[in-house]
């Protein structure tokens, strides 16, 4: 069986790594290939993850690079059609919700190749998020829908997806966290950034709705300024956010705070810093899940989350509109030891990729 997995952007690498590993260790021979679209291409957002996750270099690198989402989609589709014609895979695996996910899914569908979507069914019910559209459209054309949490199964059934295609398997991003948590001793990130365990906050912000306009960035600045009185903050800055901070001349104001501003961190550094932090502030999708697994209180700046189990069962709290006062109240409680304790959701045990592999073998061989 030949399976091609697609990666494109940072949150894809840690999901495909365990899947590729599971394919390689299968008792049924699987020819597992990886295509990198190049949606994220700079070293800090791409190559470092291949190193940290021990992923082999991709079999194909499309080098799609920068452009509007429409341009990226069109270029990915044209290139992939040629590769799929040549390689004739039995199955294409796409993960998550980025532009590469839907573009690749559509090519597989048009060419009559079976398609698996890993992390299917997640819904924020906010159609202003490009990711929500990518998720919904990919799910509609997938043959295998691998789901991380109960809400995903319900959402797919509500969208009239055939229940035989839906498989609740757990979370491949957590597979990576479980696997690589043991490797983090190789990084000295705490010493490097002069951080004391449980005595700093880690922040990531990159959603267009928070960082693409001045008010969002000045609100983030105010949050940092208010919290800086209680705790040091480390903020690895996403390229999208950095570009806007420079454009709007705000970078110096950020640098004046009780803060360590860094480039995007490598995976092992980042998960180590999450593990030892007092609290996580984010608008990321995956970080909400990782903080729930690690039991670290997390504040997510969104009006809704496509990962509701992190709020219902985990350590996550949503705050809308980058509300400074609410943030200070919630974070003070966390620093006083009264943050959400949370539980780890069912099947988030490090074995999701193995389940995915076994289902594929059972249904395809
Ligand atoms: N991450 C990382 N370095 C960073 C920030 C995040 O390795 O500086 C990892 C994080 O642990 C998670 C993934 O990147 O596994 C999440 O990616 P991102 O927040 O970019 O995407 P989203 O999940 O929001 O789509």
């Amino acid at each position: 069986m030949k399976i091609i997995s697609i990666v494109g952007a940072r949150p894809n690498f840690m999901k495909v790594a365990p899947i590729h590993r599971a394919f390689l260790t299968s008792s049924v021979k699987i020819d597992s290939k990886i295509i990198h679209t190049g949606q994220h291409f700079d070293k800090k957002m791409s190559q470092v993850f291949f190193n940290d996750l021990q992923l082999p270099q991709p079999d194909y690198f499309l080098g799609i690079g920068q452009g509007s989402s429409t341009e990226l989609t069109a270029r990915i589709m044209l290139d992939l059609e040629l590769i799929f014609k040549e390689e004739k895979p039995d199955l294409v695996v796409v993960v998550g919700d980025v532009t590469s996910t839907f573009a690749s899914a559509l090519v597989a569908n048009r060419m009559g190749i079976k398609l698996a979507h890993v992390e299917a069914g997640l819904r924020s019910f906010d159609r202003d998020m490009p990711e929500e559209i990518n998720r919904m459209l990919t799910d509609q054309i997938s043959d295998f829908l691998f789901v991380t949490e109960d809400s995903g199964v319900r959402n797919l059934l509500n969208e009239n997806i055939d229940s035989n295609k839906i498989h609740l398997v757990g979370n491949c991003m957590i597979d990576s966290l479980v696997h690589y948590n043991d490797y983090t001793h190789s990084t000295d990130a705490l010493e490097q950034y002069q951080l004391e365990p449980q005595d700093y906050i880690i922040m990531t912000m990159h959603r267009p709705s928070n960082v693409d306009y001045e008010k969002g960035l000045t609100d983030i600045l105010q949050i940092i300024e208010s919290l800086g009185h209680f705790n040091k903050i480390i903020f690895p800055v996403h390229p999208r956010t950095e570009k806007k901070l420079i454009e709007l001349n705000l970078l110096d104001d950020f640098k004046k705070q009780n803060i360590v501003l860094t480039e995007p961190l490598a995976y092992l550094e980042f998960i180590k810093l999450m593990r030892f932090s007092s609290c996580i502030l984010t608008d990321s999708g995956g970080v909400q899940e990782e903080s729930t697994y690690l039991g670290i209180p997390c504040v997510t700046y969104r009006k809704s989350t496509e990962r509701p189990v992190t709020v219902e069962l985990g350590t996550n709290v949503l705050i809308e509109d980058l509300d400074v006062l609410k943030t200070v109240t919630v974070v003070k409680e966390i620093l006083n030891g009264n943050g959400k304790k949370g539980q780890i959701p069912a099947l988030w045990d490090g074995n999701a990729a193995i389940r995915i592999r076994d289902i594929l073998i059972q249904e395809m061989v």
Side-chain angles (χ1 to χ4, degrees):
M1 183 158 56
K2 184 187 277 189
I3 303 182
I4 295 187
S5 304
I6 311 289
V7 291
R10 177 168 70 185
N12 298 158
F13 306 122
M14 52 294 282
K15 294 166 196 167
V16 164
I19 296 172
H20 180 67
R21 205 168 43 243
F23 288 166
L24 293 185
T25 55
S26 166
S27 54
V28 172
K29 183 161 171 28
I30 297 177
D31 181 6
S32 172
K33 297 203 163 174
I34 295 176
I35 298 179
H36 186 347
T37 65
Q39 189 184 332
H40 279 167
F41 53 92
D42 66 54
K43 190 163 174 273
K44 294 271 174 194
M45 297 296 283
S46 172
Q47 186 54 46
V48 289
F49 293 93
F50 281 81
N51 303 342
D52 274 6
L53 297 160
Q54 298 151 321
L55 263 173
Q57 287 309 302
D59 297 275
Y60 296 88
F61 180 71
L62 307 187
I64 296 304
Q66 278 174 320
S68 71
S69 144
T70 308
E71 276 177 276
L72 299 187
T73 304
R75 283 193 236 137
I76 291 169
M77 289 185 71
L78 290 172
D79 285 5
L80 278 188
E81 184 174 41
L82 295 178
I83 298 173
F84 289 173
K85 257 188 198 149
E86 179 80 21
E87 290 280 354
K88 301 186 179 50
D90 298 297
L91 176 84
V92 168
V93 175
V94 296
V95 298
D97 54 20
V98 297
T99 300
S100 301
T101 309
F102 174 59
S104 312
L106 190 52
V107 182
N109 169 269
R110 285 292 150 86
M111 295 180 74
I113 303 166
K114 290 250 182 269
L115 176 68
H117 185 205
V118 172
E119 224 180 67
L122 297 180
R123 297 288 181 271
S124 64
F125 302 101
D126 175 3
R127 291 197 182 192
D128 290 337
M129 289 178 77
E131 296 90 343
E132 181 78 351
I133 306 302
N134 292 335
R135 289 190 279 260
M136 291 171 68
L137 297 179
T138 303
D139 286 342
Q140 284 300 323
I141 56 175
S142 293
D143 301 286
F144 297 93
L145 295 104
F146 294 117
V147 183
T148 52
E149 60 169 88
D150 290 334
S151 73
V153 175
R154 287 195 298 276
N155 295 334
L156 293 172
L157 292 175
N158 286 340
E159 290 172 19
N160 296 321
I161 305 261
D162 178 354
S163 62
N164 292 317
K165 296 181 179 175
I166 305 170
H167 307 274
L168 182 65
V169 290
N171 193 321
C172 289
M173 176 165 260
I174 300 303
D175 286 6
S176 275
L177 187 55
V178 171
H179 186 81
Y180 292 102
N181 233 345
D182 290 341
Y183 291 74
T184 55
H185 55 77
S186 65
T187 115
D188 61 354
L190 285 163
E191 296 79 3
Q192 193 185 335
Y193 299 111
Q194 296 172 352
L195 302 169
E196 293 297 327
Q198 282 81 45
D199 197 24
Y200 62 90
I201 295 169
I202 183 161
M203 170 181 247
T204 78
M205 299 295 266
H206 68 279
R207 290 258 103 69
S209 56
N210 286 332
V211 305
D212 272 8
Y213 63 107
E214 188 164 0
K215 166 92 171 64
L217 289 171
T218 51
D219 284 349
I220 295 170
L221 180 61
Q222 265 193 52
I223 287 171
I224 292 169
E225 206 170 354
S226 311
L227 297 181
H229 299 298
F230 312 113
N231 233 190
K232 192 171 187 174
I233 297 168
I234 176 157
F235 183 9
V237 185
H238 190 283
R240 176 184 198 106
T241 311
E242 186 188 24
K243 191 165 159 253
K244 278 285 162 189
L245 285 174
I246 293 170
E247 229 172 81
L248 295 166
N249 232 345
L250 284 167
L251 198 53
D252 283 341
D253 295 332
F254 273 70
K255 283 183 184 160
K256 283 179 203 146
Q257 309 304 319
N258 183 14
I259 197 168
V260 184
L261 284 178
T262 70
E263 292 187 305
L265 297 175
Y267 182 66
L268 294 181
E269 284 183 324
F270 189 76
I271 61 176
K272 182 166 193 173
L273 290 186
M274 275 197 295
R275 182 143 59 100
F276 287 102
S277 66
S278 53
C279 158
I280 300 172
L281 307 181
T282 193
D283 59 9
S284 159
V287 171
Q288 297 174 66
E289 296 180 334
E290 291 168 327
S291 51
T292 274
Y293 181 83
L294 294 168
I296 307 288
C298 178
V299 173
T300 301
Y301 293 97
R302 306 247 199 116
K303 57 181 176 206
S304 60
T305 176
E306 66 285 347
R307 293 157 159 96
V309 77
T310 61
V311 176
E312 289 154 13
L313 203 65
T315 56
N316 196 15
V317 177
L318 299 187
I319 291 189
E320 228 181 299
D321 299 328
L322 295 161
D323 189 321
V324 184
L325 288 179
K326 222 180 211 161
T327 303
V328 173
T329 310
V330 171
V331 173
K332 264 188 177 169
E333 279 300 294
I334 292 171
L335 299 182
N336 286 333
N338 301 321
K340 279 175 88 175
K341 302 288 178 266
Q343 290 168 41
I344 297 175
L347 300 177
W348 289 19
D349 58 0
N351 295 315
I354 304 270
R355 290 187 196 102
I356 289 174
R357 178 197 68 197
D358 292 348
I359 291 166
L360 290 174
I361 290 175
Q362 202 182 334
E363 302 218 359
M364 289 195 53
V365 176

